[in-house]
Coordinates of all heavy atoms in Angstrom, one line a residue:
A1 N 0.8 -1.2 0.0 CA 0.0 0.0 0.0 C 0.8 1.3 0.0 O 0.5 2.3 -0.6 CB -0.9 0.0 1.2
E2 N 2.0 1.2 0.7 CA 2.8 2.4 0.7 C 3.3 2.8 -0.6 O 3.4 4.0 -0.9 CB 4.1 2.1 1.6 CG 3.8 1.9 3.1 CD 3.2 0.6 3.4 OE1 3.2 -0.3 2.5 OE2 2.8 0.3 4.6
Y3 N 3.6 1.9 -1.5 CA 4.0 2.2 -2.9 C 2.9 2.9 -3.6 O 3.2 4.0 -4.2 CB 4.4 0.9 -3.6 CG 4.6 1.1 -5.1 CD1 5.9 1.5 -5.6 CD2 3.6 0.9 -6.0 CE1 6.1 1.8 -6.9 CE2 3.8 1.1 -7.4 CZ 5.1 1.5 -7.8 OH 5.3 1.7 -9.2
H4 N 1.7 2.4 -3.6 CA 0.6 3.0 -4.4 C 0.3 4.4 -3.7 O -0.1 5.3 -4.5 CB -0.6 2.1 -4.4 CG -0.3 0.8 -5.1 ND1 -0.2 0.8 -6.5 CD2 -0.1 -0.5 -4.7 CE1 0.1 -0.5 -6.9 NE2 0.1 -1.2 -5.8
R5 N 0.4 4.5 -2.4 CA 0.1 5.7 -1.7 C 1.1 6.8 -2.2 O 0.7 8.0 -2.5 CB 0.2 5.5 -0.2 CG -0.5 6.7 0.6 CD -0.3 6.4 2.1 NE -0.7 5.0 2.4 CZ -0.1 4.2 3.2 NH1 1.0 4.6 3.8 NH2 -0.6 3.0 3.5
K6 N 2.3 6.5 -2.3 CA 3.4 7.5 -2.7 C 3.2 7.9 -4.1 O 3.3 9.0 -4.5 CB 4.8 6.9 -2.4 CG 5.1 6.8 -1.0 CD 6.5 6.2 -0.8 CE 6.9 6.1 0.7 NZ 8.2 5.5 0.9
V7 N 2.8 6.9 -5.0 CA 2.6 7.3 -6.4 C 1.4 8.2 -6.5 O 1.4 9.2 -7.2 CB 2.3 6.0 -7.2 CG1 1.7 6.3 -8.6 CG2 3.5 5.1 -7.3
D8 N 0.4 8.0 -5.7 CA -0.8 8.8 -5.7 C -0.5 10.2 -5.2 O -0.9 11.2 -5.8 CB -1.9 8.2 -4.8 CG -3.2 9.0 -4.8 OD1 -3.9 9.1 -5.9 OD2 -3.5 9.6 -3.8
E9 N 0.3 10.3 -4.1 CA 0.6 11.6 -3.5 C 1.5 12.4 -4.5 O 1.3 13.6 -4.6 CB 1.4 11.4 -2.2 CG 0.5 10.8 -1.1 CD 1.4 10.4 0.1 OE1 2.6 10.5 0.0 OE2 0.8 10.1 1.2
A10 N 2.3 11.7 -5.3 CA 3.2 12.4 -6.2 C 2.5 12.7 -7.6 O 3.0 13.3 -8.5 CB 4.5 11.6 -6.5
R11 N 1.2 12.2 -7.7 CA 0.5 12.2 -8.9 C 1.4 11.7 -10.1 O 1.5 12.2 -11.2 CB 0.0 13.6 -9.3 CG -0.9 14.3 -8.2 CD -1.6 15.5 -8.7 NE -2.7 15.2 -9.5 CZ -3.9 14.9 -9.1 NH1 -4.2 14.9 -7.8 NH2 -4.9 14.6 -10.0
G12 N 2.0 10.5 -9.7 CA 2.9 9.9 -10.7 C 2.3 8.7 -11.4 O 1.1 8.5 -11.2
Y13 N 3.1 8.0 -12.1 CA 2.7 6.8 -12.8 C 3.5 5.6 -12.2 O 4.7 5.7 -12.0 CB 2.9 6.9 -14.3 CG 2.4 5.8 -15.1 CD1 1.1 5.7 -15.5 CD2 3.3 4.8 -15.6 CE1 0.7 4.6 -16.3 CE2 2.9 3.7 -16.3 CZ 1.5 3.6 -16.7 OH 1.1 2.6 -17.4
P14 N 2.8 4.5 -11.9 CA 3.5 3.3 -11.3 C 4.3 2.5 -12.3 O 4.0 1.4 -12.6 CB 2.3 2.5 -10.8 CG 1.2 2.8 -11.7 CD 1.3 4.2 -12.1
E15 N 5.4 3.2 -12.8 CA 6.2 2.6 -13.8 C 6.7 1.2 -13.4 O 6.7 0.2 -14.2 CB 7.4 3.5 -14.2 CG 7.0 4.7 -15.0 CD 6.8 4.4 -16.5 OE1 7.0 3.2 -16.9 OE2 6.5 5.3 -17.2
E16 N 7.3 1.1 -12.2 CA 7.9 -0.1 -11.7 C 6.8 -1.2 -11.7 O 7.1 -2.4 -12.0 CB 8.5 0.1 -10.3 CG 9.6 1.2 -10.3 CD 9.0 2.6 -10.0 OE1 7.8 2.7 -10.0 OE2 9.8 3.5 -9.9
F17 N 5.7 -0.9 -11.2 CA 4.6 -1.9 -11.1 C 4.1 -2.4 -12.5 O 4.0 -3.6 -12.7 CB 3.4 -1.3 -10.4 CG 2.2 -2.2 -10.2 CD1 2.4 -3.4 -9.5 CD2 1.0 -1.9 -10.7 CE1 1.3 -4.3 -9.3 CE2 -0.1 -2.7 -10.5 CZ 0.1 -3.9 -9.8
V18 N 3.9 -1.5 -13.4 CA 3.5 -1.9 -14.8 C 4.6 -2.6 -15.4 O 4.3 -3.6 -16.1 CB 3.1 -0.6 -15.6 CG1 2.8 -1.0 -17.0 CG2 1.9 0.1 -14.9
D19 N 5.9 -2.3 -15.2 CA 7.0 -3.0 -15.8 C 7.0 -4.4 -15.3 O 7.3 -5.4 -16.0 CB 8.3 -2.3 -15.5 CG 8.5 -1.1 -16.4 OD1 7.8 -0.9 -17.4 OD2 9.4 -0.2 -16.1
A20 N 6.8 -4.6 -14.0 CA 6.8 -5.9 -13.4 C 5.7 -6.8 -13.9 O 5.9 -8.0 -14.2 CB 6.7 -5.8 -11.8
L21 N 4.5 -6.2 -14.1 CA 3.4 -6.9 -14.7 C 3.7 -7.4 -16.1 O 3.4 -8.5 -16.5 CB 2.1 -6.0 -14.7 CG 1.4 -5.8 -13.4 CD1 0.4 -4.7 -13.6 CD2 0.7 -7.0 -12.9
T22 N 4.4 -6.5 -16.9 CA 4.8 -6.8 -18.2 C 5.8 -7.9 -18.3 O 5.7 -8.9 -19.1 CB 5.3 -5.5 -18.9 OG1 4.4 -4.5 -18.9 CG2 5.6 -5.8 -20.4
K23 N 6.8 -7.8 -17.5 CA 7.9 -8.8 -17.4 C 7.3 -10.2 -17.0 O 7.8 -11.2 -17.5 CB 9.0 -8.4 -16.5 CG 9.8 -7.2 -17.1 CD 10.9 -6.7 -16.1 CE 11.6 -5.5 -16.6 NZ 12.6 -4.9 -15.6
A24 N 6.3 -10.2 -16.2 CA 5.7 -11.4 -15.7 C 4.8 -12.0 -16.8 O 4.3 -13.1 -16.6 CB 5.0 -11.2 -14.4
G25 N 4.5 -11.2 -17.8 CA 3.7 -11.7 -18.9 C 2.2 -11.4 -18.8 O 1.4 -11.7 -19.7
W26 N 1.8 -10.7 -17.7 CA 0.4 -10.5 -17.4 C -0.2 -9.5 -18.4 O -1.4 -9.6 -18.8 CB 0.1 -10.0 -16.0 CG 0.5 -11.0 -15.0 CD1 1.5 -10.9 -14.0 CD2 0.0 -12.4 -14.8 NE1 1.6 -12.1 -13.3 CE2 0.7 -13.0 -13.8 CE3 -0.9 -13.1 -15.5 CZ2 0.5 -14.3 -13.3 CZ3 -1.2 -14.4 -15.1 CH2 -0.5 -15.0 -14.0
M27 N 0.6 -8.5 -18.9 CA 0.1 -7.6 -19.8 C -0.1 -8.1 -21.2 O -0.6 -7.5 -22.1 CB 1.0 -6.3 -19.8 CG 1.1 -5.6 -18.5 SD -0.6 -5.3 -17.8 CE -1.3 -4.2 -19.0
A28 N 0.4 -9.3 -21.4 CA 0.3 -10.0 -22.7 C -0.7 -11.1 -22.7 O -0.8 -12.0 -23.6 CB 1.6 -10.5 -23.2
A29 N -1.6 -11.1 -21.7 CA -2.5 -12.2 -21.5 C -3.4 -12.4 -22.7 O -3.7 -13.6 -23.0 CB -3.4 -11.9 -20.2

């Protein structure tokens, strides 16, 4: 939760999270 909270506070984009999903193959489902 701390990760997503910090991304939200910074109004950022969760690059690391999306990259991890991609590398694991989930974004190519």
Side-chain angles (χ1 to χ4, degrees):
E2 292 80 7
Y3 170 82
H4 296 289
R5 195 181 310 138
K6 288 178 180 178
V7 169
D8 181 70
E9 289 172 356
R11 302 194 75 88
Y13 183 80
E15 287 281 1
E16 303 86 355
F17 180 58
V18 176
D19 285 344
L21 287 168
T22 303
K23 290 176 183 176
W26 298 120
M27 298 310 299

